[in-house]
Amino acid sequence: MTDNGVREARAFAPASVANVAVGFDLLGYAVAGVGDTVIVRRIDAPEVRIAAIRGAAVELPTQAASNTAGAALIALRQALALPFGFEVEIDKGIPLSSGMGGSAASCVAALVAANALLDQPLTREQLYLHSLEGEAVASGSRHGDNLGPMFLGGLVLSTLERLVPVPVPAQWHSLLVHPDALLETRRARAALQGSYALQEFVAQSTNLALVLAGCHAGDAALVRAGLRDVLVEPRRAPLIVGFDAAKQAALHAGAMGASISGAGPSVFAWYETAEAAQAAAPKVQAAFAAAGFDSQSWVTPLNSPGAHLL
Protein backbone atom coordinates (compact mmCIF):
# COMPACT_ATOMS: atom_id res chain seq x y z
CA MET A 1 0.00 0.00 0.00
CA THR A 2 1.05 3.64 -0.33
CA ASP A 3 2.62 5.56 2.53
CA ASN A 4 -0.84 6.78 3.59
CA GLY A 5 -2.36 3.30 3.42
CA VAL A 6 -4.49 3.84 0.30
CA ARG A 7 -5.05 0.68 -1.74
CA GLU A 8 -7.90 1.79 -4.01
CA ALA A 9 -8.62 4.89 -6.11
CA ARG A 10 -11.37 5.96 -8.50
CA ALA A 11 -10.96 8.42 -11.35
CA PHE A 12 -13.05 10.00 -14.10
CA ALA A 13 -11.82 10.95 -17.58
CA PRO A 14 -13.98 13.06 -19.90
CA ALA A 15 -14.78 12.51 -23.53
CA SER A 16 -12.81 14.46 -26.11
CA VAL A 17 -12.91 15.82 -29.64
CA ALA A 18 -9.79 14.77 -31.52
CA ASN A 19 -8.22 16.13 -34.72
CA VAL A 20 -10.32 19.33 -34.42
CA ALA A 21 -10.51 19.45 -38.24
CA VAL A 22 -7.00 20.83 -38.75
CA GLY A 23 -4.80 18.86 -36.33
CA PHE A 24 -4.98 15.20 -37.35
CA ASP A 25 -3.53 13.04 -34.54
CA LEU A 26 -2.24 16.25 -32.87
CA LEU A 27 -5.03 18.50 -31.62
CA GLY A 28 -7.92 17.78 -29.26
CA TYR A 29 -10.05 19.18 -26.46
CA ALA A 30 -11.93 17.83 -23.46
CA VAL A 31 -15.74 17.60 -23.39
CA ALA A 32 -17.43 17.98 -20.01
CA GLY A 33 -20.50 16.03 -18.93
CA VAL A 34 -19.72 12.59 -20.35
CA GLY A 35 -16.83 10.20 -19.68
CA ASP A 36 -15.53 6.93 -18.24
CA THR A 37 -14.96 6.04 -14.59
CA VAL A 38 -12.30 3.54 -13.51
CA ILE A 39 -11.54 1.94 -10.13
CA VAL A 40 -7.99 0.70 -9.61
CA ARG A 41 -6.85 -1.44 -6.67
CA ARG A 42 -3.26 -2.10 -5.69
CA ILE A 43 -2.69 -5.86 -5.41
CA ASP A 44 0.28 -7.91 -4.25
CA ALA A 45 0.46 -10.02 -7.43
CA PRO A 46 2.83 -8.40 -9.97
CA GLU A 47 0.27 -8.25 -12.78
CA VAL A 48 -2.65 -6.25 -14.20
CA ARG A 49 -6.15 -7.72 -14.07
CA ILE A 50 -9.39 -6.44 -15.58
CA ALA A 51 -11.99 -7.49 -13.00
CA ALA A 52 -15.07 -5.93 -14.61
CA ILE A 53 -16.28 -3.78 -17.50
CA ARG A 54 -19.74 -2.26 -17.17
CA GLY A 55 -21.86 -0.09 -19.44
CA ALA A 56 -20.44 -1.21 -22.79
CA ALA A 57 -22.88 -2.01 -25.59
CA VAL A 58 -20.49 -4.62 -26.99
CA GLU A 59 -18.10 -7.02 -25.30
CA LEU A 60 -14.71 -5.45 -24.60
CA PRO A 61 -11.48 -7.42 -23.99
CA THR A 62 -10.79 -8.36 -20.39
CA GLN A 63 -7.28 -9.57 -21.20
CA ALA A 64 -5.19 -6.71 -19.82
CA ALA A 65 -2.77 -6.56 -22.75
CA SER A 66 -5.67 -6.23 -25.21
CA ASN A 67 -7.55 -3.58 -23.20
CA THR A 68 -6.59 0.10 -23.43
CA ALA A 69 -6.62 0.61 -19.65
CA GLY A 70 -4.80 -2.67 -19.05
CA ALA A 71 -2.12 -2.00 -21.66
CA ALA A 72 -1.41 1.43 -20.20
CA LEU A 73 -1.06 0.04 -16.68
CA ILE A 74 1.22 -2.74 -17.96
CA ALA A 75 3.43 -0.05 -19.54
CA LEU A 76 3.43 1.89 -16.26
CA ARG A 77 4.36 -1.19 -14.20
CA GLN A 78 7.18 -2.14 -16.53
CA ALA A 79 8.63 1.37 -16.77
CA LEU A 80 8.69 1.81 -12.99
CA ALA A 81 9.62 -1.84 -12.24
CA LEU A 82 6.80 -1.96 -9.68
CA PRO A 83 6.80 -4.97 -7.33
CA PHE A 84 2.99 -4.87 -7.09
CA GLY A 85 0.13 -4.97 -9.59
CA PHE A 86 -3.30 -3.50 -10.26
CA GLU A 87 -6.87 -4.75 -10.47
CA VAL A 88 -9.21 -2.65 -12.59
CA GLU A 89 -12.97 -2.07 -12.89
CA ILE A 90 -14.21 0.07 -15.80
CA ASP A 91 -17.56 1.86 -16.07
CA LYS A 92 -18.08 3.04 -19.65
CA GLY A 93 -19.94 6.31 -20.08
CA ILE A 94 -18.81 7.16 -23.62
CA PRO A 95 -20.49 5.44 -26.58
CA LEU A 96 -18.12 3.08 -28.38
CA SER A 97 -16.93 3.84 -31.93
CA SER A 98 -18.41 7.33 -31.54
CA GLY A 99 -15.41 9.55 -32.24
CA MET A 100 -15.52 10.80 -28.64
CA GLY A 101 -12.36 9.18 -27.30
CA GLY A 102 -13.98 6.25 -25.49
CA SER A 103 -10.95 3.99 -25.64
CA ALA A 104 -8.64 6.79 -24.51
CA ALA A 105 -10.86 7.77 -21.57
CA SER A 106 -10.64 4.35 -19.94
CA CYS A 107 -6.90 4.42 -20.39
CA VAL A 108 -6.47 7.91 -18.89
CA ALA A 109 -8.83 7.29 -15.96
CA ALA A 110 -6.96 4.07 -15.13
CA LEU A 111 -3.60 5.84 -15.09
CA VAL A 112 -4.86 8.75 -12.98
CA ALA A 113 -6.34 6.31 -10.46
CA ALA A 114 -3.24 4.09 -10.41
CA ASN A 115 -1.03 7.15 -10.00
CA ALA A 116 -2.76 7.87 -6.69
CA LEU A 117 -1.59 4.44 -5.49
CA LEU A 118 2.09 4.99 -6.27
CA ASP A 119 4.54 5.83 -3.49
CA GLN A 120 5.98 8.53 -5.77
CA PRO A 121 3.23 9.77 -8.12
CA LEU A 122 4.12 10.89 -11.64
CA THR A 123 3.19 14.12 -13.42
CA ARG A 124 0.37 14.15 -15.96
CA GLU A 125 2.97 14.53 -18.73
CA GLN A 126 4.75 11.37 -17.52
CA LEU A 127 1.49 9.45 -17.36
CA TYR A 128 0.74 10.59 -20.92
CA LEU A 129 3.73 8.70 -22.28
CA HIS A 130 2.36 5.43 -20.86
CA SER A 131 -1.15 6.17 -22.14
CA LEU A 132 0.12 6.11 -25.73
CA GLU A 133 0.60 2.34 -25.36
CA GLY A 134 -3.05 1.97 -24.40
CA GLU A 135 -4.28 4.06 -27.34
CA ALA A 136 -2.21 1.92 -29.73
CA VAL A 137 -4.22 -1.14 -28.65
CA ALA A 138 -7.47 0.51 -29.78
CA SER A 139 -6.46 2.25 -32.98
CA GLY A 140 -3.29 0.51 -34.10
CA SER A 141 -1.18 3.67 -33.80
CA ARG A 142 0.33 5.85 -31.08
CA HIS A 143 -1.31 9.28 -31.17
CA GLY A 144 -2.26 11.61 -28.35
CA ASP A 145 -4.94 13.97 -29.64
CA ASN A 146 -7.55 12.34 -27.36
CA LEU A 147 -5.19 11.64 -24.48
CA GLY A 148 -3.59 15.06 -24.02
CA PRO A 149 -6.78 17.03 -23.38
CA MET A 150 -8.09 14.28 -21.11
CA PHE A 151 -5.02 14.67 -18.91
CA LEU A 152 -4.78 18.47 -18.93
CA GLY A 153 -8.26 19.68 -19.85
CA GLY A 154 -8.99 22.30 -22.49
CA LEU A 155 -7.47 22.43 -25.96
CA VAL A 156 -4.12 20.63 -26.18
CA LEU A 157 -1.53 20.07 -28.90
CA SER A 158 -0.16 16.57 -28.24
CA THR A 159 3.01 15.27 -29.87
CA LEU A 160 4.55 11.90 -29.02
CA GLU A 161 6.94 13.65 -26.61
CA ARG A 162 5.05 16.57 -25.05
CA LEU A 163 1.73 18.22 -24.25
CA VAL A 164 1.19 21.89 -25.17
CA PRO A 165 -1.94 23.59 -23.76
CA VAL A 166 -3.53 26.06 -26.19
CA PRO A 167 -5.37 28.99 -24.57
CA VAL A 168 -8.91 29.76 -25.74
CA PRO A 169 -11.32 32.50 -24.65
CA ALA A 170 -13.52 31.39 -21.76
CA GLN A 171 -16.73 32.28 -23.63
CA TRP A 172 -16.01 30.02 -26.64
CA HIS A 173 -18.07 26.84 -26.55
CA SER A 174 -18.22 23.50 -28.33
CA LEU A 175 -21.26 21.71 -29.64
CA LEU A 176 -20.78 17.95 -29.96
CA VAL A 177 -23.52 15.85 -31.56
CA HIS A 178 -23.36 12.05 -31.57
CA PRO A 179 -25.73 10.21 -33.93
CA ASP A 180 -26.75 6.72 -32.82
CA ALA A 181 -24.42 5.06 -35.31
CA LEU A 182 -21.06 3.30 -35.10
CA LEU A 183 -17.88 3.96 -37.04
CA GLU A 184 -14.98 1.72 -36.02
CA THR A 185 -11.73 3.67 -35.65
CA ARG A 186 -9.64 1.26 -37.69
CA ARG A 187 -12.14 1.45 -40.58
CA ALA A 188 -12.05 5.25 -40.45
CA ARG A 189 -8.25 5.22 -40.54
CA ALA A 190 -8.28 2.78 -43.47
CA ALA A 191 -10.24 5.37 -45.47
CA LEU A 192 -7.20 7.64 -45.32
CA GLN A 193 -4.94 5.34 -47.32
CA GLY A 194 -3.79 6.61 -50.71
CA SER A 195 -1.88 9.53 -52.14
CA TYR A 196 -2.21 13.21 -51.20
CA ALA A 197 -1.32 16.31 -53.18
CA LEU A 198 1.29 18.71 -51.84
CA GLN A 199 -1.16 21.61 -52.00
CA GLU A 200 -3.49 19.72 -49.66
CA PHE A 201 -0.76 19.61 -47.01
CA VAL A 202 0.01 23.30 -47.53
CA ALA A 203 -3.67 24.21 -47.18
CA GLN A 204 -4.07 22.08 -44.03
CA SER A 205 -0.91 23.55 -42.47
CA THR A 206 -2.21 27.04 -43.23
CA ASN A 207 -5.52 26.26 -41.55
CA LEU A 208 -3.85 24.77 -38.46
CA ALA A 209 -1.68 27.87 -38.13
CA LEU A 210 -4.71 30.17 -38.43
CA VAL A 211 -6.64 28.24 -35.77
CA LEU A 212 -3.74 28.19 -33.30
CA ALA A 213 -3.05 31.89 -33.86
CA GLY A 214 -6.73 32.68 -33.48
CA CYS A 215 -6.96 30.76 -30.20
CA HIS A 216 -3.89 32.48 -28.74
CA ALA A 217 -5.15 35.92 -29.81
CA GLY A 218 -8.80 35.26 -28.99
CA ASP A 219 -9.54 36.23 -32.60
CA ALA A 220 -12.66 34.43 -33.88
CA ALA A 221 -12.11 35.74 -37.41
CA LEU A 222 -8.79 33.88 -37.66
CA VAL A 223 -10.43 30.69 -36.41
CA ARG A 224 -13.29 31.08 -38.91
CA ALA A 225 -10.73 31.44 -41.69
CA GLY A 226 -8.88 28.28 -40.68
CA LEU A 227 -11.22 25.77 -39.04
CA ARG A 228 -11.68 23.66 -42.20
CA ASP A 229 -10.35 20.17 -42.88
CA VAL A 230 -9.22 19.77 -46.49
CA LEU A 231 -7.19 16.62 -45.85
CA VAL A 232 -9.10 14.04 -43.79
CA GLU A 233 -12.76 15.08 -43.77
CA PRO A 234 -13.27 14.63 -47.55
CA ARG A 235 -12.11 11.02 -47.24
CA ARG A 236 -14.14 10.15 -44.13
CA ALA A 237 -17.36 12.09 -44.72
CA PRO A 238 -18.80 9.42 -47.08
CA LEU A 239 -18.68 6.96 -44.16
CA ILE A 240 -21.06 9.13 -42.07
CA VAL A 241 -24.69 9.20 -43.20
CA GLY A 242 -26.11 12.67 -42.67
CA PHE A 243 -22.75 14.35 -42.08
CA ASP A 244 -22.96 16.95 -44.83
CA ALA A 245 -26.38 18.17 -43.72
CA ALA A 246 -25.33 18.22 -40.06
CA LYS A 247 -22.21 20.24 -40.85
CA GLN A 248 -24.16 22.74 -42.93
CA ALA A 249 -26.74 23.11 -40.15
CA ALA A 250 -23.93 23.93 -37.69
CA LEU A 251 -22.38 26.49 -40.05
CA HIS A 252 -25.72 28.12 -40.88
CA ALA A 253 -26.25 28.53 -37.13
CA GLY A 254 -23.11 30.65 -36.92
CA ALA A 255 -20.34 28.16 -36.16
CA MET A 256 -16.72 29.28 -36.53
CA GLY A 257 -16.20 25.87 -38.08
CA ALA A 258 -17.52 22.30 -37.93
CA SER A 259 -16.15 18.88 -38.79
CA ILE A 260 -15.88 15.24 -37.75
CA SER A 261 -15.04 14.52 -34.11
CA GLY A 262 -12.16 12.06 -33.98
CA ALA A 263 -12.79 9.18 -36.36
CA GLY A 264 -16.55 9.92 -36.40
CA PRO A 265 -19.47 9.64 -36.66
CA SER A 266 -19.90 12.44 -34.11
CA VAL A 267 -19.76 16.03 -35.34
CA PHE A 268 -18.39 19.06 -33.51
CA ALA A 269 -18.76 22.80 -34.04
CA TRP A 270 -17.21 25.86 -32.35
CA TYR A 271 -19.26 28.89 -31.30
CA GLU A 272 -18.34 32.23 -29.79
CA THR A 273 -20.92 31.87 -26.98
CA ALA A 274 -22.71 29.13 -25.08
CA GLU A 275 -26.06 30.56 -26.20
CA ALA A 276 -25.14 30.23 -29.88
CA ALA A 277 -24.01 26.62 -29.38
CA GLN A 278 -27.18 25.73 -27.49
CA ALA A 279 -29.35 27.30 -30.21
CA ALA A 280 -27.53 25.31 -32.88
CA ALA A 281 -27.86 21.91 -31.18
CA PRO A 282 -31.47 21.10 -32.21
CA LYS A 283 -30.74 22.16 -35.79
CA VAL A 284 -27.77 19.80 -36.10
CA GLN A 285 -29.74 17.02 -34.43
CA ALA A 286 -32.61 17.62 -36.86
CA ALA A 287 -30.21 17.05 -39.75
CA PHE A 288 -29.28 13.64 -38.36
CA ALA A 289 -32.95 12.88 -37.68
CA ALA A 290 -33.70 13.53 -41.34
CA ALA A 291 -31.03 10.93 -42.16
CA GLY A 292 -32.74 8.43 -39.86
CA PHE A 293 -30.66 8.76 -36.69
CA ASP A 294 -31.52 9.76 -33.15
CA SER A 295 -28.70 11.71 -31.52
CA GLN A 296 -27.31 13.17 -28.30
CA SER A 297 -25.72 16.59 -27.92
CA TRP A 298 -23.42 18.31 -25.44
CA VAL A 299 -22.56 22.00 -25.17
CA THR A 300 -19.41 22.65 -23.16
CA PRO A 301 -16.69 25.31 -22.82
CA LEU A 302 -13.62 24.71 -24.99
CA ASN A 303 -11.58 24.90 -21.79
CA SER A 304 -13.48 22.11 -20.01
CA PRO A 305 -11.61 20.22 -17.24
CA GLY A 306 -9.63 17.03 -17.70
CA ALA A 307 -9.46 13.79 -15.71
CA HIS A 308 -9.67 13.86 -11.93
CA LEU A 309 -9.86 11.61 -8.89
CA LEU A 310 -13.31 10.97 -7.41
Side-chain angles (χ1 to χ4, degrees):
M1 65 180 65
T2 57
D3 294 338
N4 61 8
V6 176
R7 291 193 68 94
E8 179 179 300
R10 184 165 162 257
F12 172 86
S16 64
V17 168
N19 300 332
V20 197
V22 292
F24 181 73
D25 279 2
L26 289 172
L27 194 62
Y29 62 92
V31 175
V34 58
D36 286 1
T37 302
V38 176
I39 299 170
V40 177
R41 299 181 189 87
R42 183 162 157 170
I43 58 176
D44 293 333
E47 62 184 7
V48 176
R49 304 173 188 157
I50 308 295
I53 302 175
R54 295 178 287 266
V58 298
E59 190 172 342
L60 296 176
T62 54
Q63 287 291 110
S66 302
N67 181 285
T68 58
L73 293 181
I74 289 171
L76 177 70
R77 281 201 67 257
Q78 292 175 342
L80 300 181
L82 297 178
F84 54 86
F86 301 108
E87 183 178 81
V88 183
E89 294 186 27
I90 301 169
D91 287 286
K92 298 296 296 179
I94 300 174
L96 295 170
S97 299
S98 63
M100 294 169 57
S103 59
S106 296
C107 169
V108 170
L111 283 168
V112 169
N115 197 45
L117 306 179
L118 300 180
D119 297 323
Q120 295 179 302
L122 304 180
T123 66
R124 291 287 172 104
E125 288 77 6
Q126 289 171 315
L127 291 176
Y128 167 69
L129 298 178
H130 301 301
S131 71
L132 289 167
E133 303 306 322
E135 182 71 336
V137 168
S139 67
S141 69
R142 299 169 80 247
H143 54 92
D145 49 346
N146 284 305
L147 301 164
M150 290 180 183
F151 277 117
L152 301 186
L155 181 66
V156 180
L157 187 68
S158 306
T159 73
L160 294 180
E161 296 81 26
R162 60 179 57 86
L163 299 177
V164 183
V166 179
V168 293
Q171 68 269 25
W172 288 5
H173 275 64
S174 160
L175 167 63
L176 178 62
V177 177
H178 169 57
D180 290 341
L182 301 178
L183 179 52
E184 207 270 329
T185 301
R186 289 177 186 258
R187 180 180 171 221
R189 292 186 83 86
L192 305 183
Q193 295 175 358
S195 59
Y196 293 77
L198 179 60
Q199 63 262 32
E200 290 180 303
F201 285 105
V202 174
Q204 193 82 336
S205 298
T206 300
N207 289 344
L208 175 59
L210 285 168
V211 169
L212 293 178
C215 288
H216 277 275
D219 188 333
L222 286 178
V223 173
R224 284 181 184 278
L227 195 54
R228 297 191 312 267
D229 180 1
V230 301
L231 205 60
V232 175
E233 181 187 303
R235 291 162 173 83
R236 282 182 169 170
L239 302 177
I240 304 171
V241 178
F243 169 75
D244 290 337
K247 176 182 177 180
Q248 289 307 310
L251 294 175
H252 288 157
M256 289 184 273
S259 189
I260 302 167
S261 175
S266 298
V267 173
F268 80 90
W270 282 16
Y271 292 88
E272 293 178 64
T273 65
E275 292 77 15
Q278 289 161 353
K283 299 173 184 177
V284 178
Q285 289 187 269
F288 276 122
F293 295 102
D294 291 334
S295 62
Q296 297 171 275
S297 68
W298 298 267
V299 172
T300 59
L302 285 178
N303 57 4
S304 291
H308 57 272
L309 290 170
L310 297 171

